[in-house]
Amino acid sequence: MFEFLHKKINETIDITDEQFEYAKTLFVPKQLGKKRLLLERGNTCIYTTFVGKGLLRSFTIDEKGNENILQFAMEGWWVGDLYSFLTDEASEYTIEALEDSQLLLITKPSWDLLLEKVPAFERYFRVLIQNNLIATQRRLMNTMTISAEERYIKLLQDFPDISQRVPQHMIASYIGVTRETLSRLRSQMASG
Amino acid sequence: MFEFLHKKINETIDITDEQFEYAKTLFVPKQLGKKRLLLERGNTCIYTTFVGKGLLRSFTIDEKGNENILQFAMEGWWVGDLYSFLTDEASEYTIEALEDSQLLLITKPSWDLLLEKVPAFERYFRVLIQNNLIATQRRLMNTMTISAEERYIKLLQDFPDISQRVPQHMIASYIGVTRETLSRLRSQMASG
DNA sequence: CGCCGAGTTGAACTGAATCAAGAAACGTGG
DNA sequence: CCACGTTTCTTGATTCAGTTCAACTCGGCG
């Protein structure tokens, strides 16, 4: 799993083997079974986590009990509640494994240490967050400008395997509609 | 204006006077009159820009000619299309001054140089983007979970002076409703 | 078996968009 | 400083995408 992390990091920055060996000491490997929680809302998000294998989702729950999915995190991605992680405040988000997953966790103190000792990580995280920002801005504009059907089509284009790995009602929640609406969209799309 | 930039930078990182003097050489000051464009869609966003004074908006225009506002940028903020800036591809966004504005522009090559020569800026931009990501994620979740009225109230809480500086129809577009809907919401709120 | 979560389908409802028209505010030139 | 056109805001009537509520199906799994 560490090799995979190393590979992903090398896509953005160059670090020496010693530097990576040092980084390794700061991560805690964790195996998380399907339906288990990595973070429960109300708690502080004390880890930022790298997904080595598996699939997770982060979501909020509103007054009516509806789940609203912020993110799906697959192999090679990172998950966490950035705000809670940085400020130590209670998180609004719950993070749950949708498949048995293998994770690498890093705490805020270790993360600070990593940035201090290996400044190249500053760039790595900057690029990571940058790409996330670009994607989130796009998604925001999409929810404001295009129809549910178009958002669904775009999601399938961007993540072709998502419908094999994630139940429909979660996809509905990700694109911002009810399960009933997505079900109807799909049957229309199949016939038309 | 450079003093203001220096002050903002110092809120996040410590840089020496020489380092700041060097940074200054990389920025191009620009005065932009109300209604003038900093970027027009179809062009590459060749600058990332710091707003010293004034107010700008970045927005897209959809098929029906509706404007969809991604961001208002006030004093001390940064604007630009990150994706276009990083990749050199044509931007979907138009950026327009809503007030006479004073700006500091930096090109991609200069920006790269700045990050290389003064690595502390890597952290500065990381934090900047991080905060932007947190805010954008919140806005995304808000558009998916709460009503137009609640979004409007939140916006006024977060930016109390915005209704004095920005025409209503742009606020409507920012929160993702038509001008007619916002007008109706306001009259309901005033009476109720 | 029986139960439970996931998905489907139908009918009624609703928040917001659209279309249309008028009123108010603004700014620019004479 | 007024007159005129343009932009901004409001109000009303109608339409529509998506929600809500409810009932039913299907497949897995104790």
Side-chain angles (χ1 to χ4, degrees), chain B:
Chain B
M1 189 160 39
F2 277 113
E3 308 80 71
F4 183 43
L5 174 61
H6 199 168
K7 193 189 131 212
K8 292 302 284 185
I9 291 170
N10 273 334
E11 289 173 7
T12 307
I13 57 171
D14 293 319
I15 55 170
T16 65
D17 285 350
E18 297 115 274
Q19 285 174 329
F20 186 70
E21 286 307 312
Y22 174 69
K24 276 169 73 167
T25 67
L26 299 173
F27 283 92
V28 180
K30 177 169 175 128
Q31 147 80 33
L32 191 70
K34 186 172 176 173
K35 303 214 171 176
R36 288 305 174 87
L37 304 185
L38 178 61
L39 171 68
E40 190 163 8
R41 68 168 172 159
N43 297 323
T44 298
C45 179
I46 59 172
Y47 304 111
T48 273
T49 114
F50 176 79
V51 183
K53 194 156 192 300
L55 177 61
L56 295 90
R57 70 199 254 247
S58 64
F59 62 99
T60 58
I61 302 170
D62 64 26
E63 320 77 54
K64 286 141 199 156
N66 295 317
E67 296 176 352
N68 299 98
I69 296 180
L70 174 65
Q71 192 199 355
F72 293 114
M74 325 205 284
E75 294 83 7
W77 295 41
W78 293 77
V79 239
D81 175 356
L82 200 52
Y83 181 74
S84 173
F85 181 72
L86 293 169
T87 62
D88 262 319
E89 288 187 37
S91 179
E92 316 265 289
Y93 292 96
T94 299
I95 303 178
E96 177 202 36
L98 298 180
E99 300 174 355
D100 292 343
S101 300
Q102 279 163 22
L103 312 172
L104 294 173
L105 315 182
I106 186 167
T107 62
K108 183 83 188 336
S110 294
W111 190 68
D112 288 336
L113 214 58
L114 181 62
L115 292 177
E116 189 196 312
K117 294 284 161 68
V118 191
F121 271 96
E122 197 76 62
R123 160 173 285 254
Y124 173 66
F125 286 115
R126 195 225 340 130
V127 171
L128 212 64
I129 293 169
Q130 213 169 59
N131 292 337
N132 196 168
L133 176 60
I134 290 167
T136 305
Q137 284 179 342
R138 264 203 201 123
R139 191 172 152 208
L140 174 65
M141 294 309 268
N142 283 344
T143 63
M144 297 208 306
T145 57
I146 67 179
S147 69
E149 177 170 351
E150 288 174 289
R151 293 200 300 276
Y152 179 61
I153 291 167
K154 283 207 186 212
L155 180 67
L156 295 187
Q157 283 167 353
D158 292 346
F159 308 98
D161 61 338
I162 206 163
S163 55
Q164 272 69 59
R165 296 178 72 179
V166 175
Q168 310 267 314
H169 72 276
M170 290 187 192
I171 292 177
S173 152
Y174 182 86
I175 62 175
V177 295
T178 59
R179 35 185 126 53
E180 294 94 330
T181 298
L182 181 58
S183 175
R184 275 183 261 265
L185 284 178
R186 283 168 50 83
S187 66
Q188 277 172 234
M189 286 166 68
S191 65

Side-chain angles (χ1 to χ4, degrees), chain A residues 120-166:
Chain A
F121 272 97
E122 195 78 62
R123 161 174 284 253
Y124 174 66
F125 286 115
R126 200 235 322 141
V127 171
L128 212 65
I129 293 169
Q130 216 169 57
N131 292 336
N132 197 166
L133 176 59
I134 290 168
T136 305
Q137 284 180 343
R138 266 203 200 122
R139 191 171 154 210
L140 174 65
M141 293 310 268
N142 282 344
T143 64
M144 296 208 305
T145 57
I146 67 179
S147 70
E149 177 171 352
E150 289 174 290
R151 292 198 303 273
Y152 179 60
I153 292 168
K154 284 207 185 215
L155 180 66
L156 295 187
Q157 283 169 356
D158 292 347
F159 308 99
D161 60 337
I162 206 162
S163 54
Q164 272 70 58
R165 297 177 71 179
V166 175

Side-chain angles (χ1 to χ4, degrees), chain A:
Chain A
M1 190 160 42
F2 276 114
E3 307 81 71
F4 183 43
L5 175 60
H6 199 167
K7 194 191 128 209
K8 292 301 285 185
I9 291 170
N10 274 335
E11 289 174 5
T12 307
I13 57 172
D14 293 318
I15 56 171
T16 65
D17 285 351
E18 296 115 275
Q19 286 174 330
F20 186 70
E21 287 306 312
Y22 174 68
K24 276 169 75 167
T25 67
L26 299 173
F27 284 92
V28 181
K30 177 169 175 129
Q31 147 79 32
L32 191 70
K34 186 173 175 171
K35 301 214 173 176
R36 289 306 176 85
L37 304 184
L38 178 63
L39 170 68
E40 190 163 7
R41 67 166 172 158
N43 297 324
T44 298
C45 179
I46 60 173
Y47 303 112
T48 273
T49 113
F50 176 78
V51 183
K53 197 156 189 302
L55 178 61
L56 296 91
R57 70 198 253 247
S58 64
F59 62 99
T60 58
I61 302 170
D62 65 26
E63 320 76 55
K64 284 140 202 160
N66 295 318
E67 296 176 352
N68 299 97
I69 296 181
L70 175 65
Q71 193 197 354
F72 294 115
M74 330 206 280
E75 295 84 6
W77 295 39
W78 293 77
V79 240
D81 176 356
L82 200 55
Y83 181 74
S84 173
F85 181 74
L86 293 169
T87 62
D88 262 318
E89 290 187 35
S91 179
E92 317 264 289
Y93 293 95
T94 299
I95 303 178
E96 178 202 34
L98 299 181
E99 300 173 358
D100 292 345
S101 300
Q102 279 163 21
L103 312 172
L104 294 173
L105 315 182
I106 186 167
T107 62
K108 182 84 191 331
S110 294
W111 189 69
D112 287 338
L113 213 58
L114 181 62
L115 291 177
E116 189 196 312
K117 294 283 160 69
V118 191
F121 272 97
E122 195 78 62
R123 161 174 284 253
Y124 174 66
F125 286 115
R126 200 235 322 141
V127 171
L128 212 65
I129 293 169
Q130 216 169 57
N131 292 336
N132 197 166
L133 176 59
I134 290 168
T136 305
Q137 284 180 343
R138 266 203 200 122
R139 191 171 154 210
L140 174 65
M141 293 310 268
N142 282 344
T143 64
M144 296 208 305
T145 57
I146 67 179
S147 70
E149 177 171 352
E150 289 174 290
R151 292 198 303 273
Y152 179 60
I153 292 168
K154 284 207 185 215
L155 180 66
L156 295 187
Q157 283 169 356
D158 292 347
F159 308 99
D161 60 337
I162 206 162
S163 54
Q164 272 70 58
R165 297 177 71 179
V166 175
Q168 310 268 316
H169 71 275
M170 289 186 193
I171 292 177
S173 151
Y174 183 87
I175 62 174
V177 295
T178 58
R179 29 181 135 37
E180 293 94 331
T181 297
L182 180 58
S183 175
R184 275 183 262 265
L185 285 179
R186 282 167 50 82
S187 66
Q188 278 172 233
M189 285 165 66
S191 64

